Amino acid sequence: MLSKRSMVISGILLVAAVVVPTTVRADDLPIDFNQDIRPVLAKNCFACHGPDENDREAGLRLDDRGVAVAELESGSIAIVPQHPQQSELVSRITSSDPDLRMPPADSGHALKPAEIKRIEQWINQGAPFAKHWSFANPVHWPPPDVNQEQWPLTGLDYFVLARMEAHRLQPSEMADRHALIRRLSLDLRGLPPTPHELESFLSDERPDAYGRLVDAFLADPAYGERWARVWLDLARYADSKGYGSDPLRTIWRYRDWVIDALNQNMPYDQFTVEQLAGDLLPDPTFEQRVATAFHRNTMTNTEGGTDDEEFRVAAVRDRVDTTGQIWLGLTMGCAKCHNHKYDPITQKEYYQFYAYFNHTADNDLPTEAPTLKVPVPEISERIAQIDSEVAVLQKQLERLKDEEQSGQDQKPKPKSKRIEQLQKQIDQLKKSKPALPTVPIMQELAGDKRRITKVMIRGNFLTTGDEVHEQTPSAFHEFPEGAPQNRLGIAYWLMSPDNPLTARVAVNRIWARLFGNGLVVTEEDFGTQGELPSHPKLLDWLAVEYMRSDWDTKALLKLIVTSATYRQSSHVTAEAREVDPQNRWLARAPRFRLEAETVRDQAMALSGLLSRKMHGPSVYPPQPPGLWRAAFNGKDRRWATSTGEDRYRRGVYTFWRRTVPYPSMATFDAPSREICVARRIRTNTPLQALVTLNDPVYVEAAQGLARRIMLEGGTSVKQRARWVLQLCLVRIPTDAEIDEIVSLFKSERQHYSAQHEEARTLATKPLGAAPQGLDIADLAAWTVVANILLNHDAVLSKG
Amino acid sequence: MDLTDLHLRAVTRRHFLGNCRTGVGALALASMLRQEQASGRTGGLQENPLAEKAPHHPPRAKHIIYLHMAGSPPQHELFDFKPKLVEHHMQPCPDELLANQRFPFIKGHPKLLGTPYKFDRCGESGTELSELLPLFREHIDDVAVIKSMHTDQFNHAPAQLFIYTGSPRFGGAAMGSWATYGLGTENQNLPGFVVLISGGTDPSGGKSLWGSGFLPSVYQGVQCRTTGEPILYVSNPKGMNRDVRRRSLEALRRLNEIELQQFGDPETEARINQYELAFRMQMAVPDSMDLTRETKQTQEQYGIEPGQESFANNCLLARRLVERGVRYVQLFHYGWDMHGTNNTNDIITALPKKCAEIDRPISALIADLKQRGLFDDTLIVWSGEFGRTSMNEERNGSKFLGRDHHPHCFTIWMAGGGIKGGVTWGETDELGYFVARDKMSVRDLQATMMHLMGFDAHRLSYPFQGLNQRLIGPTDEARVNHGILA
């Protein structure tokens, strides 16, 4: 803060000179309403003196200057600009009388002395208000001046460097190529680089080698799989219905749609329109209708005695809340029971917005209707084949029947037996006909079936108030002219260039996945309760760049990953850590633990077991027995462990049951996907260590890696140790590291050479018999080494 | 107190390990933390979110054992005796009770169902109790029976979620998560929040009942089992013995220390610690879960079934865990959904069996905790998720007696840490349909439990999605029930 003030100090001198001609004190520096005042008022005062008129005390609202400076019912005035002593607000927050003191003790809030002082200064300075930062349109700020002009590589670096310099921080040196390729590969593809990719990059002497690497990774289909993971948390995608016994749901075709859309680099506006309202586009394609499954990921309740309407309402609300979260970064859900306490959304406006989503045909039914049939070539062929066989038999049958009838004979009929046989055959064939998988979709109700929307009092679906109609909240930008008053119109409204939030929220999300934290840390809340951006101008600049590129997501990613900011080393000195422990000012690259799916995918890749097969129904990699024994789930109690390559697919294809999430991923902070999750909170627990040490999935990966060591890693122990360290860490190992591996191998080799059965077990169960010619004690000892390396901090982290 | 700040407070590795090893533990560490808070020092590099923390006021209950009867037992058969109901047995239910009511299964005009079981006034307190819990009767003077509980959910999953997370929908944080978030835990070699399920079926609310919701996942409940692995993945891979594991973890530690020197990332140090903890957990967990280490007498007292999944085993485990410093132990028993559609869920045949499954273990648990001096620090709560109707369900003309779901009243009991024994709180009307006096809501129960743990439930919060999320929800209706507190 200090340095920011020093930057503007020359401007202040002029202002201050007018007010206090003799001395300039720190007190006179101008207070920034959005930075210094609104967060304090929002946290401590808005609940009773904010936008919600139903809970407003004393008629005072502190989110509206007009009211705050006007005379209240009591005759007093909360804020008298330039006169803190006459302001009721100040006398109440400084009062020593507990009955008068604000905020009241039982609210659990209290103002700090520094906050009180700032409020006084701000009133002294005329109490200027400003629009909440995120509700003002982003500006394409010119890059700020910096001292180290040779450092920036892209426009964004100027913004970052300016903040660094203001905090007297030095950017770190650029990371070496080893570190860069691993970082880039994990960020863009969720997989480590292969030894071959590493070799080619190290030997690529062209000046644009790094840019080419970025392009190659963005073009890899693994890119779509990695970034789909991010979107699927937001879309609360899961393979089960959630409530009650959490029955299974077939909706994987939507997951594939997301992967493909990302791989095709579908512009974010189209990506949005198709998911929210693909069915309302003129002559929607099959893919556009599949996209609408986005909002069919809501939970349904098939439990006995439940009211379908209650859960349909819950689903529609979830669609409203999720839409608000993903595109606006706002917690609209707060307004379903009462007016929003902090952001300008009234309860009525909530239900006006709700009305847009209240006209779809789905109704919490066990059938999931309406659904689309998903063509799967093998199944379609089989169906066609059976249909033609049935047609042939049917003809025969009819002919026989005709003959029999025309015979008109009373004697026993030899043909009737044949007819019976044929009929049976036809029935069997029909029975054996496989069904095409389905995907639930959004479908708008026809005119006369459209629902009436009413405000729900205190959020209760049974007690309704006034009827409302489709309308967007009044504090936001205009509804686009000529856009239809339905979901399609909402999609256009969200993607309108006048919308100050969508682009900011989107670029912040991408930034957060790369840097570990968003420029706005509270990715889910850009409202007044959310945190302020660390680099407001950078956020704006990126948002405008993204819009100007016509929402080209790969271009945005390329812009960020080619920046000098991104390419810094993640080494940190004690001093730098002291100054900026959270790395808010980005004077180094972040270093943080990989997310659940990447921990798995990387282990699969290093072990050589990874299957790169894409698409299709979700798969069942091994998990401990008995976990699916949830209540009431008669037929869905069995986890049918996949065989063949499906055992080794990427985590994005793992079957996701909401009430029993895949245990190792849940341990690594994967959410249950019951509701939209904007960011996963990273934790570091011993249970994670138990997963990567002992889960048979990771033991199998260690076995695979051990075989690679022996088959690909050279012949001597030292060669192999160097090879596997380099493979896993993606850097040149130190002698100390090699020695550590060599001595671990030797001690375990000795142990296992005397323990033949144990060695065989550790080296082959569950992966299967060892390849010909490999010594089993060697293999067991290398399995121990591999197991440890899959738990190495550098392997589990991205640096 | 702002717990988000607090939970960033740290303990250095040496302090942390030192305390674990010596077992001086709890108090010293807690007071050290308090000092740190007072001085405003943010501590060293290490964050241990499960380190002990000081609550708002001194706690009465340092440990919690929650016994949940999933499906919801019929209060009229166990605690809430209604002579009027017996008198009018099989007469039509008065119309006014049915107006505007929804039932999952009852259709048409149901008949009242008087309990077939005998009740007596028990103990010095004279608390009324059914003949179905003969052993439990002996401890009734230690127990506060609350007959005036009510909820607003009448399906299993939402009602269970409401009790444990404060919201009938998924996504909230479980009470045990709140407890470990607020208090940390005493024994770092064991999870702070353990869940034990008796077998049969899992509760309908599933894993979300012990999920950490919006709280960091380090606070989620860890399910422990008496069959198979006690904690998922706690056993070494087949073919790897403890010595191999120890040697390989030592090598890993040295490798990670090289990494730490190179990159200087405090997370690396945290990871080194977590692997040490994991190794100690691998030692401590099997030992804690091994019921054969108990005396024959204790085993018989609880009626355990070694090698099986059972409620009795879990009650004994709960005591072992609490004894070792686990903060919150949540038990789920199954099969209490007494609809009366057949003889596995009726009140004549099935209910006595269920009661027999819990009567001995619960009595043993209370006696055992007392004998070991743990009872006064350990809060025990027993409940279902809602009540059952005063009427016979008679689904599809069933001849078996049973009761449908009923949110308007049910009975729970509490005992131990901070609870006044021998109290009967609240009363229902003469047909046992609505609460007549001293209502206690689910939110009141939550506030009361949090109070006993040392928290003002109105102030214990976590910022998420624009709201300071609390166990008791966004409204201020929750009240601590001082009437049952010692």
Side-chain angles (χ1 to χ4, degrees):
Chain A
M1 283 311 94
L2 200 103
S3 28
K4 183 187 144 203
R5 289 189 180 155
S6 66
M7 278 165 60
V8 288
I9 208 148
S10 52
I12 305 327
L13 281 168
L14 289 174
V15 179
V18 180
V19 184
V20 193
T22 47
T23 52
V24 179
R25 296 169 303 146
D27 293 5
D28 301 314
L29 298 176
I31 301 285
D32 179 337
F33 179 75
N34 271 330
Q35 187 83 30
D36 300 324
I37 303 299
R38 190 200 299 275
V40 177
L41 297 179
K43 181 168 170 231
N44 297 289
C45 315
F46 280 8
C48 306
H49 302 296
D52 182 5
E53 61 192 339
N54 296 324
D55 261 349
R56 196 175 297 148
E57 303 287 339
L60 171 64
R61 59 185 298 185
L62 290 168
D63 63 317
D64 180 332
R65 190 173 192 272
V67 179
V69 302
E71 189 174 310
L72 298 167
E73 295 149 25
S74 64
S76 53
I77 300 174
I79 295 174
V80 184
Q82 284 156 359
H83 299 285
Q85 301 80 1
Q86 295 167 26
S87 301
E88 182 69 5
L89 171 66
V90 173
S91 65
R92 298 301 280 279
I93 61 178
T94 54
S95 172
S96 50
D97 181 344
D99 289 339
L100 294 177
R101 174 101 175 181
M102 285 286 156
D106 62 7
S107 71
H109 294 302
L111 293 180
K112 299 184 184 106
E115 291 170 338
I116 294 174
K117 193 165 176 222
R118 240 177 288 150
I119 289 173
E120 289 174 341
Q121 286 170 244
W122 165 69
I123 295 177
N124 208 7
Q125 291 169 10
F129 275 59
K131 211 174 193 179
H132 177 60
W133 71 271
S134 70
F135 296 157
N137 282 331
V139 173
H140 198 255
W141 301 99
D145 292 335
V146 294
N147 297 329
Q148 300 166 73
E149 280 181 354
Q150 75 295 348
W151 187 74
L153 294 171
T154 63
L156 76 86
D157 293 319
Y158 288 91
F159 295 95
V160 175
L161 183 59
R163 304 301 288 145
M164 263 190 250
E165 289 180 346
H167 288 87
R168 299 172 209 283
L169 285 161
Q170 278 293 326
S172 299
E173 60 186 25
M174 192 181 280
D176 62 32
R177 284 200 175 192
H178 283 95
L180 279 179
I181 189 174
R182 180 167 186 270
R183 181 187 301 168
L184 193 66
S185 184
L186 290 168
D187 277 342
L188 298 186
R189 310 187 297 177
L191 293 173
T194 64
H196 176 71
E197 287 165 340
L198 174 65
E199 275 319 305
S200 347
F201 181 51
L202 291 179
S203 59
D204 189 345
E205 285 169 7
R206 294 171 292 189
D208 58 346
Y210 182 73
R212 287 168 181 271
L213 189 69
V214 173
D215 291 337
F217 286 168
L218 285 173
D220 187 328
Y223 159 82
E225 293 171 321
R226 181 261 179 279
W227 287 87
R229 199 299 286 151
V230 176
W231 190 258
L232 295 176
D233 272 8
L234 293 164
R236 66 294 194 230
Y237 166 84
D239 299 304
S240 71
K241 299 178 185 176
Y243 290 112
S245 59
D246 193 18
L248 310 188
R249 164 183 286 167
T250 308
I251 193 169
W252 53 264
R253 187 60 176 74
Y254 166 74
R255 178 246 290 137
D256 289 350
W257 182 91
V258 175
I259 291 172
D260 293 343
L262 293 171
N263 274 332
Q264 292 152 17
N265 199 22
M266 181 184 283
Y268 187 51
D269 53 351
Q270 187 188 345
F271 187 70
T272 298
V273 168
E274 294 195 359
Q275 291 184 80
L276 286 177
D279 57 317
L280 297 175
L281 289 167
D283 299 322
T285 64
F286 172 77
E287 294 292 327
Q288 283 167 334
R289 298 180 73 197
V290 169
T292 66
F294 166 71
H295 264 332
R296 294 300 308 280
N297 283 305
T298 45
M299 297 195 280
T300 54
N301 195 341
T302 51
E303 201 177 358
T306 53
D307 187 327
D308 288 340
E309 179 63 6
E310 178 178 2
F311 289 92
R312 188 193 70 81
V313 166
V316 176
R317 285 177 177 169
D318 182 54
R319 288 166 193 162
V320 171
D321 301 351
T322 299
T323 305
Q325 276 272 284
I326 296 182
W327 282 277
L328 301 173
L330 292 179
T331 57
M332 294 187 72
C334 294
K336 61 175 150 271
C337 306
H338 50 71
N339 294 339
H340 203 294
K341 301 265 181 228
Y342 307 106
D343 295 325
I345 304 163
T346 67
Q347 191 187 10
K348 185 179 172 196
E349 286 174 327
Y350 179 88
Y351 286 99
Q352 287 171 335
F353 196 72
Y354 173 103
Y356 288 104
F357 295 89
N358 198 23
H359 301 297
T360 53
D362 55 287
N363 187 23
D364 197 52
L365 295 176
T367 60
E368 302 265 36
T371 59
L372 270 189
K373 282 187 174 162
V374 174
V376 175
E378 307 90 78
I379 298 178
S380 305
E381 274 164 34
R382 180 78 191 119
I383 292 174
Q385 189 192 348
I386 290 174
D387 283 345
S388 72
E389 281 173 39
V390 168
V392 171
L393 293 173
Q394 199 77 41
K395 254 183 204 153
Q396 285 181 21
L397 182 71
E398 269 153 33
R399 205 175 54 232
L400 279 172
K401 276 185 178 167
D402 284 352
E403 283 171 19
E404 188 174 275
Q405 272 198 346
S406 59
Q408 296 189 3
D409 208 335
Q410 266 81 48
K411 280 177 194 156
K413 300 162 186 132
K415 278 176 195 154
S416 64
K417 200 166 182 187
R418 176 72 186 129
I419 291 177
E420 225 170 78
Q421 267 179 347
L422 271 174
Q423 193 57 55
K424 209 171 158 191
Q425 221 177 330
I426 291 171
D427 291 348
Q428 272 173 351
L429 269 172
K430 279 187 175 167
K431 230 183 187 170
S432 74
K433 195 155 108 174
L436 283 174
T438 55
V439 59
I441 50 157
M442 296 288 262
Q443 197 175 335
E444 200 75 346
L445 289 170
D448 57 331
K449 293 207 174 116
R450 289 173 80 78
R451 297 189 182 89
I452 291 169
T453 304
K454 292 180 174 175
V455 171
M456 297 179 202
I457 294 158
R458 288 183 67 85
N460 187 335
F461 81 106
L462 292 172
T463 42
T464 51
D466 294 344
E467 185 176 337
V468 294
H469 298 280
E470 288 83 346
Q471 201 175 317
T472 48
S474 61
F476 294 81
H477 60 288
E478 293 285 312
F479 200 75
E481 215 171 307
Q485 282 292 346
N486 58 18
R487 280 180 286 120
L488 186 58
I490 281 295
Y492 292 141
W493 177 74
L494 289 170
M495 301 313 296
S496 155
D498 297 332
N499 181 348
L501 288 159
T502 294
R504 280 195 182 113
V505 174
V507 298
N508 188 59
R509 184 151 57 225
I510 283 173
W511 187 277
R513 299 293 78 74
L514 299 174
F515 288 90
N517 280 312
L519 296 168
V520 175
V521 171
T522 52
E523 288 174 61
E524 66 285 354
D525 195 354
F526 278 57
T528 61
Q529 292 288 292
E531 290 192 21
L532 296 172
S534 56
H535 300 71
K537 290 187 174 174
L538 171 58
L539 182 65
D540 275 15
W541 185 84
L542 285 169
V544 177
E545 285 284 315
Y546 191 33
M547 288 191 273
R548 285 186 183 172
S549 74
D550 290 330
W551 306 100
D552 184 336
T553 307
K554 285 189 181 180
L556 175 69
L557 273 165
K558 186 167 182 182
L559 170 68
I560 299 174
V561 301
T562 52
S563 68
T565 305
Y566 178 86
R567 287 153 79 170
Q568 292 175 96
S569 157
S570 64
H571 287 254
V572 58
T573 61
E575 302 79 62
R577 208 173 56 215
E578 185 78 16
V579 179
D580 186 12
Q582 305 293 326
N583 196 19
R584 201 89 178 109
W585 307 118
L586 300 165
R588 58 185 182 269
R591 189 174 184 285
F592 56 92
R593 200 207 68 222
L594 300 172
E595 59 193 26
E597 288 84 347
T598 316
V599 170
R600 172 193 165 80
D601 294 350
Q602 176 181 242
M604 290 295 118
L606 295 176
S607 70
L609 296 172
L610 179 70
S611 159
R612 290 288 303 267
K613 179 176 157 191
M614 294 181 73
H615 304 136
S618 295
V619 296
Y620 305 81
Q623 75 170 15
L627 294 185
W628 269 26
R629 188 200 54 197
F632 303 129
N633 53 349
K635 66 187 173 64
D636 302 329
R637 289 166 71 100
R638 217 179 121 250
W639 172 271
T641 307
S642 293
T643 53
E645 69 174 321
D646 279 351
R647 240 177 124 89
Y648 312 113
R649 302 275 299 278
R650 293 194 69 177
V652 73
Y653 299 111
T654 298
F655 199 95
W656 204 293
R657 193 168 191 179
R658 284 176 160 131
T659 54
V660 197
Y662 192 61
S664 60
M665 295 225 231
T667 303
F668 278 100
D669 307 327
S672 60
R673 298 248 178 95
E674 284 148 354
I675 53 168
C676 167
V677 172
R679 60 176 163 145
R680 296 182 179 180
I681 306 293
R682 272 188 302 278
T683 64
N684 185 350
T685 81
L687 296 178
Q688 291 162 357
L690 295 179
V691 167
T692 40
L693 288 169
N694 301 332
D695 177 353
V697 167
Y698 288 87
V699 174
E700 191 171 7
Q703 291 164 350
L705 179 52
R707 291 172 195 197
R708 280 189 83 186
I709 296 172
M710 293 188 69
L711 296 171
E712 300 172 39
T715 47
S716 77
V717 173
K718 203 164 175 174
Q719 271 176 345
R720 288 173 170 178
R722 175 179 288 120
W723 182 87
V724 68
L725 277 163
Q726 171 149 340
L727 176 78
C728 294
L729 308 180
V730 196
R731 62 171 157 78
I732 298 176
T734 64
D735 289 344
E737 286 170 325
I738 294 169
D739 291 348
E740 204 56 70
I741 294 299
V742 168
S743 73
L744 178 63
F745 170 78
K746 285 186 172 158
S747 69
E748 302 323 305
R749 172 75 180 73
Q750 191 178 2
H751 169 79
Y752 282 107
S753 56
Q755 303 288 339
H756 195 71
E757 258 329 290
E758 276 188 36
R760 183 165 301 284
T761 304
L762 184 66
T764 64
K765 285 183 181 160
L767 183 54
Q772 281 283 315
L774 298 191
D775 178 78
I776 213 74
D778 275 356
L779 199 53
W782 283 120
T783 302
V784 174
V785 168
N787 176 257
I788 282 318
L789 282 174
L790 293 179
N791 283 276
H792 195 296
D793 182 60
V795 174
L796 294 171
S797 307
K798 186 199 77 163
Chain B
M1 180 173 60
D2 185 348
L3 279 155
T4 26
D5 278 358
L6 220 188
H7 118 129
L8 291 172
R9 301 224 190 282
V11 203
T12 66
R13 182 167 160 234
R14 260 179 310 283
H15 281 141
F16 178 54
L17 296 179
N19 274 287
C20 288
R21 260 192 228 115
T22 57
V24 191
L27 283 172
L29 189 54
S31 70
M32 185 183 86
L33 276 169
R34 266 193 294 275
Q35 280 166 13
E36 279 197 355
Q37 288 154 32
S39 68
R41 194 156 63 88
T42 43
L45 292 176
Q46 286 317 298
E47 292 172 16
N48 173 25
L50 285 171
E52 283 217 84
K53 296 165 221 170
H56 298 139
H57 55 257
R60 298 294 305 273
K62 293 183 181 151
H63 309 281
I64 295 91
I65 298 175
Y66 200 125
L67 310 169
H68 189 97
M69 307 296 116
S72 296
Q75 70 274 22
H76 302 107
E77 270 64 44
L78 301 180
F79 298 99
D80 201 12
F81 182 56
K82 292 290 155 188
K84 257 284 194 306
L85 209 48
V86 177
E87 196 184 311
H88 295 286
H89 181 60
M90 288 302 151
Q91 292 176 12
C93 179
D95 285 336
E96 63 269 26
L97 294 183
L98 300 176
N100 299 322
Q101 296 294 321
R102 294 193 293 162
F103 302 100
F105 296 104
I106 284 180
K107 293 206 173 82
H109 202 116
K111 299 186 195 78
L112 296 173
L113 174 55
T115 185
Y117 296 106
K118 261 189 34 223
F119 278 67
D120 294 297
R121 297 209 165 267
C122 305
E124 284 180 23
S125 57
T127 304
E128 236 175 347
L129 256 186
S130 157
E131 61 182 324
L132 288 170
L133 299 168
L135 298 171
F136 182 62
R137 287 176 166 208
E138 293 165 23
H139 300 282
I140 199 64
D141 288 339
D142 291 318
V143 170
V145 174
I146 301 148
K147 295 186 177 177
S148 53
M149 281 297 297
H150 61 98
T151 176
D152 51 22
Q153 298 297 319
F154 73 114
N155 272 307
H156 298 292
Q160 290 166 356
L161 286 164
F162 185 42
I163 288 185
Y164 292 110
T165 71
S167 158
R169 310 248 178 268
F170 292 107
M175 208 179 323
S177 302
W178 281 109
T180 46
Y181 162 66
L183 293 170
T185 186
E186 290 173 10
N187 185 340
Q188 303 295 340
N189 296 347
L190 292 172
F193 172 16
V194 170
V195 181
L196 302 166
I197 298 179
S198 312
T201 49
D202 288 5
S204 326
K207 256 193 100 170
S208 301
L209 298 175
W210 55 95
S212 56
F214 39 76
L215 291 175
S217 61
V218 66
Y219 300 113
Q220 79 197 358
V222 175
Q223 194 182 341
C224 292
R225 294 146 218 269
T226 42
T227 59
E229 284 193 290
I231 287 184
L232 285 185
Y233 313 127
V234 80
S235 316
N236 288 323
K238 294 195 178 81
M240 183 185 288
N241 66 28
R242 189 178 288 192
D243 291 333
V244 177
R245 178 48 88 212
R246 186 178 44 73
R247 285 193 301 268
S248 61
L249 284 177
E250 280 165 8
L252 176 63
R253 180 170 49 76
R254 288 189 294 269
L255 288 166
N256 281 339
E257 277 165 1
I258 295 173
E259 182 75 10
L260 177 63
Q261 278 167 16
Q262 278 199 11
F263 285 85
D265 182 358
E267 274 287 301
T268 307
E269 197 174 358
R271 182 151 294 111
I272 292 171
N273 286 341
Q274 296 302 6
Y275 276 79
E276 288 181 16
L277 280 182
F279 184 66
R280 286 209 301 275
M281 203 181 262
Q282 285 190 286
M283 306 294 117
V285 167
D287 171 71
S288 315
M289 301 292 289
D290 186 357
L291 298 182
T292 63
R293 289 168 190 255
E294 294 287 332
T295 62
K296 191 109 188 127
Q297 193 200 348
T298 304
Q299 295 185 9
E300 279 167 8
Q301 191 186 358
Y302 281 84
I304 66 159
E305 303 165 57
Q308 304 286 311
E309 294 175 302
S310 82
F311 183 73
N313 292 5
N314 289 347
C315 281
L316 179 50
L317 271 178
R319 192 224 77 214
R320 286 178 67 83
L321 294 171
V322 158
E323 192 174 39
R324 285 164 174 72
V326 171
R327 182 70 68 194
Y328 189 109
V329 185
Q330 175 74 48
L331 275 72
F332 287 102
H333 193 32
Y334 65 99
W336 289 90
D337 198 13
M338 299 290 165
H339 284 285
T341 56
N342 57 57
N343 67 358
T344 66
N345 65 6
D346 76 320
I347 61 173
I348 301 296
T349 317
L351 180 62
K353 286 186 192 159
K354 281 283 133 191
C355 291
E357 284 172 20
I358 64 163
D359 189 36
R360 174 178 294 275
I362 289 178
S363 305
L365 177 64
I366 295 175
D368 197 7
L369 288 171
K370 286 183 102 165
Q371 196 210 328
R372 287 165 198 262
L374 293 165
F375 185 72
D376 292 341
D377 284 343
T378 306
L379 172 65
I380 309 175
V381 186
W382 178 98
S383 83
E385 57 266 21
F386 42 56
R388 308 205 74 91
T389 53
S390 306
M391 302 83 77
N392 187 25
E393 179 173 311
E394 216 181 327
R395 194 189 309 179
N396 303 325
S398 171
K399 295 283 175 269
F400 296 94
L401 297 181
R403 303 180 187 272
D404 205 348
H405 306 172
H406 185 71
H408 305 307
C409 62
F410 61 110
T411 302
I412 70 169
W413 58 259
M414 298 167 86
I419 294 291
K420 197 194 291 176
V423 171
T424 298
W425 180 265
E427 209 176 285
T428 57
D429 60 28
E430 51 185 17
L431 291 178
Y433 198 101
F434 289 112
V435 176
R437 196 167 54 82
D438 294 334
K439 279 184 139 192
M440 183 162 166
S441 68
V442 167
R443 300 220 181 282
D444 297 339
L445 170 65
Q446 292 160 342
T448 305
M449 289 181 66
M450 296 314 288
H451 174 79
L452 290 169
M453 290 181 228
F455 290 104
D456 174 353
H458 296 264
R459 283 161 60 208
L460 183 65
S461 67
Y462 188 85
F464 178 71
Q465 289 198 342
L467 201 61
N468 282 325
Q469 304 281 344
R470 305 184 300 191
L471 175 63
I472 55 166
T475 59
D476 285 329
E477 65 217 28
R479 297 273 173 274
V480 174
N481 182 352
H482 289 279
I484 58 167
L485 303 187

